[in-house]
Amino acid sequence: MAEILIGQVMNVIDGQHFYMRVTHLGKNNRRKYNPEERIKIEKLAAPDQSISDKVLSKAELEIILQGHGVKCAIQTRDRYGCLTANVMLM
């Protein structure tokens, strides 16, 4: 089962990456996470939009993520410290 991070989007880097402020951790998480994490989107789920398979620009991702909390199901952490995750808007 994937570990869960919940928080607020702080800054969109490009069409695939953003920084989040971690406000809650999944109760079954075993790994340590930083108060702020860089996330690479593997899949994106938004309740009111069909965007899971689209390639997005930075501007498009900013519009989608602006003002939303996110729930991230963590897949991996790369050698640069970036987390790959399935992201759901809250």
Side-chain angles (χ1 to χ4, degrees):
M1 178 173 266
E3 295 197 355
I4 302 296
L5 300 181
I6 297 172
Q8 293 293 319
V9 174
M10 295 171 32
N11 184 32
V12 174
I13 301 164
D14 59 29
Q16 278 191 302
H17 298 86
F18 65 91
Y19 282 101
M20 73 177 287
R21 177 172 289 116
V22 179
T23 59
H24 297 84
L25 300 172
K27 64 181 178 180
N28 295 320
N29 287 6
R30 294 177 186 237
R31 295 185 180 99
K32 300 273 186 196
Y33 293 97
N34 300 313
E36 297 175 359
E37 291 282 2
R38 182 176 175 183
I39 306 293
K40 178 181 180 185
I41 300 170
E42 178 75 21
K43 292 183 182 176
L44 178 60
D48 56 339
Q49 301 177 25
S50 176
I51 54 176
S52 61
D53 295 328
K54 285 186 178 179
V55 175
L56 300 172
S57 70
K58 177 182 178 181
E60 289 171 320
L61 190 58
E62 285 175 330
I63 290 168
I64 292 166
L65 295 180
Q66 182 178 14
H68 285 282
V70 289
K71 179 178 180 180
C72 298
I74 306 304
Q75 306 303 312
T76 62
R77 185 183 292 272
D78 69 19
R79 63 183 176 179
Y80 305 107
C82 182
L83 297 170
T84 300
N86 293 336
V87 179
M88 177 184 289
L89 294 181
M90 298 178 63

